Amino acid sequence: MENLPDRPHPHAHLRASDTDRDQVVDVLRDALMSGRLSQDEHAERLEQTLQARTLGELEPITRDLVVPGQAAPVPLPVAQPSVSNSPVPIEEPADPSQSFDTMVAIFGGGERTGRWRVKRRTNAFAVFGGHDLDMTNAVFEGREVTIWAFAVFGGIDITVPEGVTVRNEGVGIFGGFGARGSDDPDPNAPTVVVKGLALFGGVGGQSSAKRHGKKNKGKGHHELH
C-alpha cells in the first residue's frame, strides 16, 4: 500500500501574523543552540520564516524540529489600548499587517535617526557590520514594537525614548545580548521587545539622555548596546 500524502494544514491559506513567525523563529533558535541545525541551515530557514506570508508556508520550516503535540498555540489578537496619554508619539498604521521593516548590513553599516517610523516589527541583520537605531525622535506604530536583532560578528545599537520600557528576550552565544530600558518607565509609553541572537557580536543599549549627554525635560529616551 502506498503511503498517503500528508494531510494539508486546515488553515494553510490564512495569512501569517508576526506572532506566528515569532514562534517559528523561537523554534529555530532553540534548534541552533541544541545542535539540531547548523548555522547555515538556521540562516536559510530564518530567511524563509521572515518571508513567509501564510501559515502553509510556515508549517514545513519546523516540521522536522517540533515534537508532536508541543507546538505553541497561536494567540488571538489583542485590542490595542488608547495611545492618547503616551509621552512618545504613537500612530496606529492603517494596515497593521504591513507594519514591518527589514534592515541588512553586511560588511557595512546602517542607521535610522530623526523623525522615522518604528514599525511594529523590525528585522535587523548585521553580519560583519553594524546598525544604529536611534528612536529618540521617532514615531511608534504601536504600543508594543518588536526588534528582531541578529548580530553575527557585528553590532546593533538601539536607542529608545525616556519612559519607554525595553524587554530583552534575546540570546548571546560568544557575544553579548543586553537591553536596558528607562530608569523611569511610563505606563502609557510604548514597550520595545528586543529578540534575536548575537553570535560573536553584540546587541545592547542605553538611555537617550545618557547617549546624547543631556537630560530631556519631561520624558527622554534609551539605547541598546
Side-chain angles (χ1 to χ4, degrees):
M1 180 178 178
E2 296 183 356
N3 293 330
L4 295 176
D6 292 339
R7 180 178 299 177
H9 194 293
H11 304 298
H13 64 287
L14 295 180
R15 301 278 292 189
S17 67
D18 286 344
T19 299
D20 300 324
R21 282 183 283 267
D22 290 350
Q23 290 175 348
V24 174
V25 172
D26 287 341
V27 172
L28 295 179
R29 182 190 62 194
D30 292 342
L32 173 65
M33 296 180 64
S34 65
R36 286 180 290 159
L37 285 179
S38 68
Q39 293 183 19
D40 290 341
E41 290 172 327
H42 175 266
E44 180 181 355
R45 297 195 189 196
L46 179 62
E47 182 178 2
Q48 294 173 353
T49 301
L50 299 178
Q51 293 178 350
R53 297 298 185 188
T54 65
L55 296 179
E57 293 174 352
L58 283 177
E59 192 273 336
I61 297 174
T62 57
R63 181 179 295 158
D64 59 344
L65 300 175
V66 179
V67 178
Q70 297 299 312
V74 178
L76 296 175
V78 178
Q80 294 294 321
S82 171
V83 299
S84 59
N85 296 324
S86 173
V88 178
I90 300 176
E91 296 180 6
E92 297 285 352
D95 185 358
S97 67
Q98 297 300 314
S99 183
F100 66 89
D101 193 9
T102 298
M103 304 172 59
V104 179
I106 302 177
F107 293 100
E111 67 175 1
R112 293 288 174 86
T113 187
R115 190 76 170 180
W116 62 288
R117 300 184 71 87
V118 181
K119 304 295 184 179
R120 291 194 174 194
R121 178 189 177 114
T122 298
N123 306 314
F125 298 87
V127 182
F128 292 99
H131 283 301
D132 182 6
L133 308 182
D134 187 350
M135 304 178 186
T136 301
N137 298 307
V139 176
F140 289 72
E141 291 197 353
R143 286 295 299 269
E144 180 173 298
V145 300
T146 301
I147 307 294
W148 275 98
F150 298 91
V152 181
F153 293 97
I156 298 176
D157 294 330
I158 306 170
T159 305
V160 302
E162 227 19 88
V164 169
T165 298
V166 174
R167 194 163 73 240
N168 179 28
E169 299 180 3
V171 174
I173 302 177
F174 296 106
F177 203 114
R180 297 175 58 189
S182 175
D183 293 334
D184 184 21
D186 190 312
N188 296 311
T191 295
V192 176
V193 181
V194 185
K195 299 184 178 184
L197 176 69
L199 182 63
F200 295 99
V203 177
Q206 65 183 23
S207 72
S208 173
K210 292 179 180 178
R211 170 176 177 169
H212 298 296
K214 63 180 180 179
K215 294 286 186 178
N216 291 337
K217 295 181 178 180
K219 296 298 178 181
H221 305 75
H222 284 73
E223 173 191 27
L224 312 173
H225 285 325

